Amino acid sequence: IHETHFPNSLSSLSVDTENLQKQIDELSSFSDSPAPSVTRILYSEKDVSARRYIKNLMAVAGLSVREDAVGNIFGRWSGYEPELPPVSTGSHTDAIPYSGKYDGVVGVLGAIEAIGVLKRSGFKPKRSLEVIMFTSEEPTRFGISCLGSRLMAGSKGLAEQLKKTVDSENVSFFDAARSAGYANVEELSTVSLEKGSYSAFVELHIEQGPILEEAATHIGIVTAIAAPASIKVDFEGNGGHAGAVLMPQRNDAGLAAAELALAVEKHVLASGSIDTVGTVGILELHPGAINSIPSRSHLEIDTRDIDEKRRNTVIEKIHQSALSIASGRKVKLSEFRIVNQDPPAISDELIIKAAESASEVLKLSYKKMISRAYHDSLFMARVSPMGMIFIPCYKGYSHKPEEFASMDNIANGVKVLALTLAKLSLV
Ligand code: HGY
Ligand code: MN
Ligand code: MN
Ligand code: MN
């Protein structure tokens, strides 16, 4: 695909930055935590408001809107060869507790605006363009990341698993979905996409790291997405009175958890590569009283690497540590569950080239890079050629209220996305 394919109408792309900023701010107001933080959990009342807001924006942009059984939302702009597999784009709008207002949102609102930019320029797509807002990219409520895109990618076990999944308040996935208006949520099989449903999927997202800002580079073109994994662990001991039980008689589930958390760090650092990462983002002690020896502990471990084998070796070592800590401390390892152990995803060459030439046409600097954060693109790559476009974010901050992306950077990302979608729609 060469510049010659670019109808000259595309040379003057104008992003409605005022409206886009207003939308980002309005969307951030649907939150269960005080500004500037955002908390928007799957199927919560705030999530439902955000869904209604996005569906309305899609309709106003002239897209035909539909939703699937779990609430993945699709807005389609029909091309002049509508029978061809469309080009898709999109991201998520759910937000983990006390996070920011750009993660995911830039790729949904920015995609709708990219369509607006193309429409205003007089461009006519050959392949339809479809914006997708994925249900629940974050694992917060049910512990499963990229729930909507996993199901679309046809994750077998997940549909079964969801039938018996409950949240921390014991609300089942199905009841939660129904409370948000998804009455036929049981029809999970209707969510998975036929291979070839899309000719391409491109996601615009903030980098969630400092590389682009430090390199003063406008655009990141993602070549691969790191392989994420998450593990849930429970230890059980006898608990007891924090003063009366002497140390030799104790089997402290809290200290077992602490020792395992440090073991995670030890194994990650010993992997031999800077690309291996790991943390314990959730650590709960029961009964959680200062003068009661923890009788139960619950940890949730997140470990990732761009090399899948190296990551799996770390998971093995973490499991060995859990077993030896349990026997050493005479506590019971009542759960060691690998919730997800996903392969990495490689971006499609054609999409990388389209994003490169779009950046060149727009005279924007760009650099190729891997994504250490996971995204719905990781799963869309299983059913469609995939690509991602990154924009810089302030100090690389993300998953916290200080997350910020300037409208200049967002507008650059929207223009590169618009041109990339235009190119891919003419293929
Ligand atoms: O955790 C992640 O990588 C993504 O931002 N949810
Ligand atoms: Mn996130
Ligand atoms: Mn995200
Ligand atoms: Mn547990």
Side-chain angles (χ1 to χ4, degrees):
I1 321 167
H2 305 289
E3 278 58 65
T4 45
H5 271 284
F6 266 136
N8 50 28
S9 67
L10 283 179
S11 51
S12 59
L13 295 183
S14 73
V15 176
D16 185 343
T17 51
E18 207 179 303
N19 206 16
L20 186 48
Q21 186 61 62
K22 192 164 78 43
Q23 290 167 7
I24 291 172
D25 297 340
E26 282 174 354
L27 188 55
S28 71
S29 69
F30 303 124
S31 165
D32 280 318
S33 59
S37 79
V38 180
T39 300
R40 192 159 49 241
I41 306 303
L42 174 63
Y43 297 144
S44 66
E45 174 242 331
K46 296 295 193 296
D47 183 37
V48 171
S49 307
R51 291 166 175 279
R52 193 177 308 115
Y53 184 78
I54 296 295
K55 284 183 276 188
N56 179 50
L57 286 184
M58 285 180 168
V60 166
L63 303 179
S64 59
V65 182
R66 69 179 176 83
E67 293 183 271
D68 69 16
V70 294
N72 289 307
I73 300 171
F74 304 82
R76 179 173 293 201
W77 176 20
S78 288
Y80 56 80
E81 293 192 26
E83 69 293 341
L84 290 176
V87 173
S88 55
T89 178
S91 192
H92 64 99
T93 59
D94 59 320
I96 70 171
Y98 297 96
S99 57
K101 65 183 189 181
Y102 298 90
D103 173 7
V105 166
V106 163
V108 177
L109 295 179
I112 297 170
E113 175 57 21
I115 299 276
V117 165
L118 291 173
K119 284 189 168 203
R120 290 194 295 272
S121 80
F123 175 73
K124 291 277 169 279
K126 179 172 83 167
R127 293 172 181 275
S128 301
L129 298 182
E130 182 139 273
V131 178
I132 306 173
M133 192 208 92
F134 296 94
T135 264
S136 189
E137 188 267 357
E138 301 292 3
T140 311
R141 182 163 188 181
F142 293 102
I144 300 157
S145 57
C146 299
L147 197 150
S149 49
R150 268 181 210 276
L151 285 170
M152 285 170 67
S155 163
K156 299 269 169 303
L158 179 53
E160 276 320 300
Q161 189 186 338
L162 284 174
K163 291 188 177 115
K164 46 186 188 301
T165 296
V166 294
D167 67 10
S168 53
E169 263 97 61
N170 245 344
V171 175
S172 76
F173 173 74
F174 285 155
D175 285 347
R178 277 189 282 266
S179 75
Y182 298 105
N184 52 8
V185 63
E186 279 86 354
E187 271 111 78
L188 290 173
S189 57
T190 58
V191 176
S192 55
L193 295 177
E194 302 290 313
K195 228 178 175 9
S197 306
Y198 292 116
S199 64
F201 174 76
V202 191
E203 180 171 5
L204 173 64
H205 205 286
I206 57 170
E207 180 199 336
Q208 297 178 302
I211 294 171
L212 290 175
E213 186 180 62
E214 279 166 7
T217 301
H218 295 116
I219 295 290
I221 297 178
V222 171
T223 53
I225 302 173
S230 64
I231 310 165
K232 291 189 175 190
V233 181
D234 289 334
F235 287 113
E236 282 172 41
N238 299 331
H241 193 293
V245 181
L246 298 178
M247 296 307 276
Q249 274 75 49
R250 292 186 184 195
N251 59 347
D252 189 328
L255 295 178
E259 192 174 347
L260 183 61
L262 290 174
V264 168
E265 182 187 40
K266 183 181 71 182
H267 295 315
V268 160
L269 292 175
S271 82
S273 163
I274 190 73
D275 291 326
T276 320
V277 294
T279 190
V280 174
I282 293 176
L283 202 165
E284 292 155 351
L285 302 180
H286 178 86
I290 179 172
N291 54 354
S292 170
I293 301 165
S295 54
R296 284 205 311 275
S297 58
H298 175 80
L299 300 89
E300 299 196 16
I301 300 163
D302 179 314
T303 181
R304 313 183 193 196
D305 196 326
I306 55 172
D307 177 310
E308 185 179 8
K309 237 171 62 42
R310 200 167 49 208
R311 186 217 45 207
N312 290 346
T313 307
V314 166
I315 292 176
E316 259 312 300
K317 291 184 176 164
I318 291 170
H319 193 190
Q320 292 315 317
S321 291
L323 292 165
S324 61
I325 288 165
S327 66
R329 292 178 172 275
K330 298 190 190 52
V331 295
K332 186 168 166 252
L333 175 61
S334 46
E335 183 184 66
F336 187 91
R337 187 156 68 85
I338 298 173
V339 175
N340 65 291
Q341 191 172 2
D342 301 303
I346 308 299
S347 302
D348 175 80
E349 270 314 309
L350 191 72
I351 300 176
I352 290 174
K353 288 226 171 342
E356 273 183 286
S357 50
S359 304
E360 280 151 13
V361 163
L362 291 161
K363 300 193 180 15
L364 293 172
S365 57
Y366 66 87
K367 76 185 281 145
K368 293 185 185 177
M369 58 199 293
I370 53 162
S371 172
R372 298 184 187 280
Y374 59 72
H375 303 280
D376 292 304
S377 294
L378 180 66
F379 299 94
M380 287 304 281
R382 297 181 183 176
V383 288
S384 151
M386 172 279 291
M388 287 194 79
I389 297 163
F390 273 174
I391 59 167
C393 56
Y394 175 64
K395 290 194 187 289
Y397 287 162
S398 183
H399 283 192
K400 55 185 193 177
E402 297 81 0
E403 186 181 272
F404 174 77
S406 71
M407 190 35 81
D408 278 354
N409 283 325
I410 295 171
N412 287 339
V414 169
K415 283 189 267 190
V416 170
L417 177 66
L419 282 187
T420 303
L421 295 176
K423 270 177 188 284
L424 294 170
S425 104
L426 298 178
V427 166

PDB file of all heavy atoms in Angstrom, residues 91-94 102-105 137-138 203-206 208 373-376 388 398-399 403, ligand 3:
ATOM      1  N   SER A  91     -11.046  -0.528  21.921  1.00  0.00           N
ATOM      2  CA  SER A  91     -10.340  -0.762  23.184  1.00  0.00           C
ATOM      3  C   SER A  91     -11.387  -0.897  24.297  1.00  0.00           C
ATOM      4  O   SER A  91     -12.520  -1.335  23.995  1.00  0.00           O
ATOM      5  CB  SER A  91      -9.373   0.412  23.448  1.00  0.00           C
ATOM      6  OG  SER A  91      -8.483   0.097  24.496  1.00  0.00           O
ATOM      7  N   HIS A  92     -11.065  -0.514  25.521  1.00  0.00           N
ATOM      8  CA  HIS A  92     -11.989  -0.754  26.654  1.00  0.00           C
ATOM      9  C   HIS A  92     -12.241   0.547  27.408  1.00  0.00           C
ATOM     10  O   HIS A  92     -11.484   1.498  27.292  1.00  0.00           O
ATOM     11  CB  HIS A  92     -11.387  -1.794  27.603  1.00  0.00           C
ATOM     12  CG  HIS A  92     -10.122  -1.335  28.261  1.00  0.00           C
ATOM     13  ND1 HIS A  92     -10.067  -0.823  29.537  1.00  0.00           N
ATOM     14  CD2 HIS A  92      -8.840  -1.296  27.792  1.00  0.00           C
ATOM     15  CE1 HIS A  92      -8.812  -0.499  29.837  1.00  0.00           C
ATOM     16  NE2 HIS A  92      -8.064  -0.768  28.802  1.00  0.00           N
ATOM     17  N   THR A  93     -13.300   0.578  28.203  1.00  0.00           N
ATOM     18  CA  THR A  93     -13.552   1.771  29.038  1.00  0.00           C
ATOM     19  C   THR A  93     -13.699   1.391  30.509  1.00  0.00           C
ATOM     20  O   THR A  93     -13.941   2.268  31.336  1.00  0.00           O
ATOM     21  CB  THR A  93     -14.859   2.503  28.602  1.00  0.00           C
ATOM     22  OG1 THR A  93     -15.944   1.570  28.719  1.00  0.00           O
ATOM     23  CG2 THR A  93     -14.756   3.029  27.187  1.00  0.00           C
ATOM     24  N   ASP A  94     -13.563   0.101  30.857  1.00  0.00           N
ATOM     25  CA  ASP A  94     -13.599  -0.216  32.290  1.00  0.00           C
ATOM     26  C   ASP A  94     -12.261   0.219  32.904  1.00  0.00           C
ATOM     27  O   ASP A  94     -11.246   0.300  32.218  1.00  0.00           O
ATOM     28  CB  ASP A  94     -13.890  -1.709  32.538  1.00  0.00           C
ATOM     29  CG  ASP A  94     -12.863  -2.631  31.906  1.00  0.00           C
ATOM     30  OD1 ASP A  94     -12.416  -2.357  30.780  1.00  0.00           O
ATOM     31  OD2 ASP A  94     -12.515  -3.634  32.549  1.00  0.00           O
ATOM     32  N   TYR A 102      -7.522   7.739  30.953  1.00  0.00           N
ATOM     33  CA  TYR A 102      -7.078   7.601  29.558  1.00  0.00           C
ATOM     34  C   TYR A 102      -6.883   6.147  29.129  1.00  0.00           C
ATOM     35  O   TYR A 102      -7.071   5.812  27.966  1.00  0.00           O
ATOM     36  CB  TYR A 102      -5.765   8.371  29.359  1.00  0.00           C
ATOM     37  CG  TYR A 102      -5.914   9.853  29.620  1.00  0.00           C
ATOM     38  CD1 TYR A 102      -5.703  10.388  30.898  1.00  0.00           C
ATOM     39  CD2 TYR A 102      -6.312  10.721  28.611  1.00  0.00           C
ATOM     40  CE1 TYR A 102      -5.865  11.740  31.144  1.00  0.00           C
ATOM     41  CE2 TYR A 102      -6.477  12.086  28.853  1.00  0.00           C
ATOM     42  CZ  TYR A 102      -6.250  12.583  30.126  1.00  0.00           C
ATOM     43  OH  TYR A 102      -6.426  13.930  30.390  1.00  0.00           O
ATOM     44  N   ASP A 103      -6.520   5.268  30.075  1.00  0.00           N
ATOM     45  CA  ASP A 103      -6.277   3.846  29.774  1.00  0.00           C
ATOM     46  C   ASP A 103      -7.521   3.250  29.122  1.00  0.00           C
ATOM     47  O   ASP A 103      -8.587   3.220  29.724  1.00  0.00           O
ATOM     48  CB  ASP A 103      -5.939   3.121  31.087  1.00  0.00           C
ATOM     49  CG  ASP A 103      -5.847   1.608  30.920  1.00  0.00           C
ATOM     50  OD1 ASP A 103      -5.912   1.118  29.776  1.00  0.00           O
ATOM     51  OD2 ASP A 103      -5.727   0.910  31.944  1.00  0.00           O
ATOM     52  N   GLY A 104      -7.396   2.828  27.879  1.00  0.00           N
ATOM     53  CA  GLY A 104      -8.524   2.217  27.171  1.00  0.00           C
ATOM     54  C   GLY A 104      -9.404   3.258  26.501  1.00  0.00           C
ATOM     55  O   GLY A 104      -9.721   3.183  25.301  1.00  0.00           O
ATOM     56  N   VAL A 105      -9.753   4.290  27.271  1.00  0.00           N
ATOM     57  CA  VAL A 105     -10.684   5.330  26.784  1.00  0.00           C
ATOM     58  C   VAL A 105     -10.173   5.986  25.501  1.00  0.00           C
ATOM     59  O   VAL A 105     -10.930   6.202  24.549  1.00  0.00           O
ATOM     60  CB  VAL A 105     -10.892   6.393  27.897  1.00  0.00           C
ATOM     61  CG1 VAL A 105     -11.559   7.636  27.339  1.00  0.00           C
ATOM     62  CG2 VAL A 105     -11.699   5.784  29.035  1.00  0.00           C
ATOM     63  N   GLU A 137     -11.885  -5.362  30.022  1.00  0.00           N
ATOM     64  CA  GLU A 137     -10.479  -5.693  29.758  1.00  0.00           C
ATOM     65  C   GLU A 137      -9.754  -5.929  31.090  1.00  0.00           C
ATOM     66  O   GLU A 137      -8.821  -6.720  31.182  1.00  0.00           O
ATOM     67  CB  GLU A 137      -9.841  -4.543  28.981  1.00  0.00           C
ATOM     68  CG  GLU A 137      -8.455  -4.805  28.457  1.00  0.00           C
ATOM     69  CD  GLU A 137      -7.355  -4.344  29.410  1.00  0.00           C
ATOM     70  OE1 GLU A 137      -7.682  -3.758  30.467  1.00  0.00           O
ATOM     71  OE2 GLU A 137      -6.194  -4.605  29.112  1.00  0.00           O
ATOM     72  N   GLU A 138     -10.214  -5.206  32.136  1.00  0.00           N
ATOM     73  CA  GLU A 138      -9.508  -5.343  33.425  1.00  0.00           C
ATOM     74  C   GLU A 138     -10.040  -6.544  34.209  1.00  0.00           C
ATOM     75  O   GLU A 138     -11.209  -6.888  34.102  1.00  0.00           O
ATOM     76  CB  GLU A 138      -9.714  -4.064  34.248  1.00  0.00           C
ATOM     77  CG  GLU A 138      -9.213  -2.790  33.592  1.00  0.00           C
ATOM     78  CD  GLU A 138      -7.695  -2.711  33.458  1.00  0.00           C
ATOM     79  OE1 GLU A 138      -6.988  -3.690  33.833  1.00  0.00           O
ATOM     80  OE2 GLU A 138      -7.205  -1.682  32.974  1.00  0.00           O
ATOM     81  N   GLU A 203      -5.524  -1.195  17.536  1.00  0.00           N
ATOM     82  CA  GLU A 203      -5.925  -0.549  18.801  1.00  0.00           C
ATOM     83  C   GLU A 203      -5.023   0.643  19.097  1.00  0.00           C
ATOM     84  O   GLU A 203      -3.794   0.523  19.048  1.00  0.00           O
ATOM     85  CB  GLU A 203      -5.850  -1.566  19.953  1.00  0.00           C
ATOM     86  CG  GLU A 203      -6.239  -0.994  21.311  1.00  0.00           C
ATOM     87  CD  GLU A 203      -6.382  -2.055  22.426  1.00  0.00           C
ATOM     88  OE1 GLU A 203      -6.083  -3.248  22.165  1.00  0.00           O
ATOM     89  OE2 GLU A 203      -6.818  -1.695  23.525  1.00  0.00           O
ATOM     90  N   LEU A 204      -5.647   1.762  19.389  1.00  0.00           N
ATOM     91  CA  LEU A 204      -4.916   2.967  19.832  1.00  0.00           C
ATOM     92  C   LEU A 204      -4.916   2.960  21.360  1.00  0.00           C
ATOM     93  O   LEU A 204      -5.961   2.721  21.973  1.00  0.00           O
ATOM     94  CB  LEU A 204      -5.620   4.222  19.299  1.00  0.00           C
ATOM     95  CG  LEU A 204      -5.117   5.593  19.790  1.00  0.00           C
ATOM     96  CD1 LEU A 204      -3.687   5.827  19.322  1.00  0.00           C
ATOM     97  CD2 LEU A 204      -6.040   6.705  19.278  1.00  0.00           C
ATOM     98  N   HIS A 205      -3.755   3.199  21.993  1.00  0.00           N
ATOM     99  CA  HIS A 205      -3.687   3.106  23.451  1.00  0.00           C
ATOM    100  C   HIS A 205      -2.546   3.985  23.976  1.00  0.00           C
ATOM    101  O   HIS A 205      -1.565   4.214  23.279  1.00  0.00           O
ATOM    102  CB  HIS A 205      -3.426   1.646  23.863  1.00  0.00           C
ATOM    103  CG  HIS A 205      -3.898   1.295  25.241  1.00  0.00           C
ATOM    104  ND1 HIS A 205      -3.254   1.705  26.378  1.00  0.00           N
ATOM    105  CD2 HIS A 205      -4.968   0.589  25.673  1.00  0.00           C
ATOM    106  CE1 HIS A 205      -3.894   1.257  27.454  1.00  0.00           C
ATOM    107  NE2 HIS A 205      -4.933   0.576  27.056  1.00  0.00           N
ATOM    108  N   ILE A 206      -2.680   4.480  25.196  1.00  0.00           N
ATOM    109  CA  ILE A 206      -1.536   5.186  25.799  1.00  0.00           C
ATOM    110  C   ILE A 206      -0.459   4.139  26.082  1.00  0.00           C
ATOM    111  O   ILE A 206      -0.763   2.964  26.312  1.00  0.00           O
ATOM    112  CB  ILE A 206      -1.931   5.915  27.109  1.00  0.00           C
ATOM    113  CG1 ILE A 206      -2.523   4.939  28.133  1.00  0.00           C
ATOM    114  CG2 ILE A 206      -2.842   7.091  26.822  1.00  0.00           C
ATOM    115  CD1 ILE A 206      -2.704   5.554  29.524  1.00  0.00           C
ATOM    116  N   GLN A 208       1.503   3.561  28.581  1.00  0.00           N
ATOM    117  CA  GLN A 208       1.566   3.048  29.965  1.00  0.00           C
ATOM    118  C   GLN A 208       3.025   2.735  30.338  1.00  0.00           C
ATOM    119  O   GLN A 208       3.301   1.822  31.098  1.00  0.00           O
ATOM    120  CB  GLN A 208       0.701   1.783  30.155  1.00  0.00           C
ATOM    121  CG  GLN A 208      -0.787   2.043  29.926  1.00  0.00           C
ATOM    122  CD  GLN A 208      -1.635   0.797  30.050  1.00  0.00           C
ATOM    123  OE1 GLN A 208      -1.415  -0.177  29.341  1.00  0.00           O
ATOM    124  NE2 GLN A 208      -2.618   0.825  30.942  1.00  0.00           N
ATOM    125  N   ALA A 373       2.320  -4.048  28.754  1.00  0.00           N
ATOM    126  CA  ALA A 373       0.947  -4.192  29.256  1.00  0.00           C
ATOM    127  C   ALA A 373       0.199  -5.091  28.276  1.00  0.00           C
ATOM    128  O   ALA A 373       0.521  -5.141  27.086  1.00  0.00           O
ATOM    129  CB  ALA A 373       0.267  -2.827  29.335  1.00  0.00           C
ATOM    130  N   TYR A 374      -0.796  -5.806  28.782  1.00  0.00           N
ATOM    131  CA  TYR A 374      -1.620  -6.572  27.847  1.00  0.00           C
ATOM    132  C   TYR A 374      -2.800  -5.702  27.421  1.00  0.00           C
ATOM    133  O   TYR A 374      -3.056  -4.648  28.007  1.00  0.00           O
ATOM    134  CB  TYR A 374      -2.082  -7.915  28.416  1.00  0.00           C
ATOM    135  CG  TYR A 374      -2.914  -7.838  29.689  1.00  0.00           C
ATOM    136  CD1 TYR A 374      -4.223  -7.369  29.687  1.00  0.00           C
ATOM    137  CD2 TYR A 374      -2.373  -8.257  30.904  1.00  0.00           C
ATOM    138  CE1 TYR A 374      -4.969  -7.301  30.850  1.00  0.00           C
ATOM    139  CE2 TYR A 374      -3.121  -8.204  32.071  1.00  0.00           C
ATOM    140  CZ  TYR A 374      -4.412  -7.719  32.036  1.00  0.00           C
ATOM    141  OH  TYR A 374      -5.140  -7.640  33.198  1.00  0.00           O
ATOM    142  N   HIS A 375      -3.444  -6.112  26.353  1.00  0.00           N
ATOM    143  CA  HIS A 375      -4.588  -5.358  25.812  1.00  0.00           C
ATOM    144  C   HIS A 375      -5.529  -6.337  25.139  1.00  0.00           C
ATOM    145  O   HIS A 375      -5.170  -7.490  24.910  1.00  0.00           O
ATOM    146  CB  HIS A 375      -4.098  -4.345  24.766  1.00  0.00           C
ATOM    147  CG  HIS A 375      -3.086  -3.389  25.300  1.00  0.00           C
ATOM    148  ND1 HIS A 375      -3.419  -2.282  26.061  1.00  0.00           N
ATOM    149  CD2 HIS A 375      -1.731  -3.381  25.235  1.00  0.00           C
ATOM    150  CE1 HIS A 375      -2.322  -1.652  26.417  1.00  0.00           C
ATOM    151  NE2 HIS A 375      -1.285  -2.297  25.943  1.00  0.00           N
ATOM    152  N   ASP A 376      -6.724  -5.860  24.778  1.00  0.00           N
ATOM    153  CA  ASP A 376      -7.633  -6.727  24.026  1.00  0.00           C
ATOM    154  C   ASP A 376      -6.986  -7.188  22.717  1.00  0.00           C
ATOM    155  O   ASP A 376      -7.314  -8.261  22.203  1.00  0.00           O
ATOM    156  CB  ASP A 376      -8.949  -5.976  23.758  1.00  0.00           C
ATOM    157  CG  ASP A 376      -9.729  -5.733  25.046  1.00  0.00           C
ATOM    158  OD1 ASP A 376     -10.025  -6.725  25.742  1.00  0.00           O
ATOM    159  OD2 ASP A 376     -10.009  -4.561  25.363  1.00  0.00           O
ATOM    160  N   MET A 388      -1.013  -2.297  16.989  1.00  0.00           N
ATOM    161  CA  MET A 388      -1.340  -1.310  18.033  1.00  0.00           C
ATOM    162  C   MET A 388      -0.562  -0.040  17.781  1.00  0.00           C
ATOM    163  O   MET A 388       0.599  -0.079  17.343  1.00  0.00           O
ATOM    164  CB  MET A 388      -0.974  -1.846  19.426  1.00  0.00           C
ATOM    165  CG  MET A 388      -1.880  -2.927  19.948  1.00  0.00           C
ATOM    166  SD  MET A 388      -1.622  -3.174  21.721  1.00  0.00           S
ATOM    167  CE  MET A 388      -2.580  -1.755  22.347  1.00  0.00           C
ATOM    168  N   SER A 398       0.352   5.076  34.684  1.00  0.00           N
ATOM    169  CA  SER A 398      -0.944   4.482  34.331  1.00  0.00           C
ATOM    170  C   SER A 398      -1.428   3.666  35.529  1.00  0.00           C
ATOM    171  O   SER A 398      -0.684   3.379  36.452  1.00  0.00           O
ATOM    172  CB  SER A 398      -0.813   3.583  33.097  1.00  0.00           C
ATOM    173  OG  SER A 398      -2.103   3.087  32.735  1.00  0.00           O
ATOM    174  N   HIS A 399      -2.746   3.338  35.502  1.00  0.00           N
ATOM    175  CA  HIS A 399      -3.356   2.608  36.624  1.00  0.00           C
ATOM    176  C   HIS A 399      -3.197   3.394  37.924  1.00  0.00           C
ATOM    177  O   HIS A 399      -3.096   2.815  38.997  1.00  0.00           O
ATOM    178  CB  HIS A 399      -2.751   1.199  36.778  1.00  0.00           C
ATOM    179  CG  HIS A 399      -3.272   0.241  35.761  1.00  0.00           C
ATOM    180  ND1 HIS A 399      -3.081  -1.122  35.806  1.00  0.00           N
ATOM    181  CD2 HIS A 399      -3.995   0.453  34.636  1.00  0.00           C
ATOM    182  CE1 HIS A 399      -3.668  -1.706  34.781  1.00  0.00           C
ATOM    183  NE2 HIS A 399      -4.220  -0.768  34.048  1.00  0.00           N
ATOM    184  N   GLU A 403      -2.398   9.500  35.822  1.00  0.00           N
ATOM    185  CA  GLU A 403      -2.335   9.147  34.381  1.00  0.00           C
ATOM    186  C   GLU A 403      -2.775  10.355  33.559  1.00  0.00           C
ATOM    187  O   GLU A 403      -3.789  10.973  33.870  1.00  0.00           O
ATOM    188  CB  GLU A 403      -3.277   7.974  34.156  1.00  0.00           C
ATOM    189  CG  GLU A 403      -3.280   7.347  32.773  1.00  0.00           C
ATOM    190  CD  GLU A 403      -4.282   6.201  32.703  1.00  0.00           C
ATOM    191  OE1 GLU A 403      -3.908   5.051  33.019  1.00  0.00           O
ATOM    192  OE2 GLU A 403      -5.456   6.475  32.366  1.00  0.00           O
TER     193      GLU A 403
HETATM  194 MN    MN B   3      -5.838  -0.692  28.787  1.00  0.00          MN
END
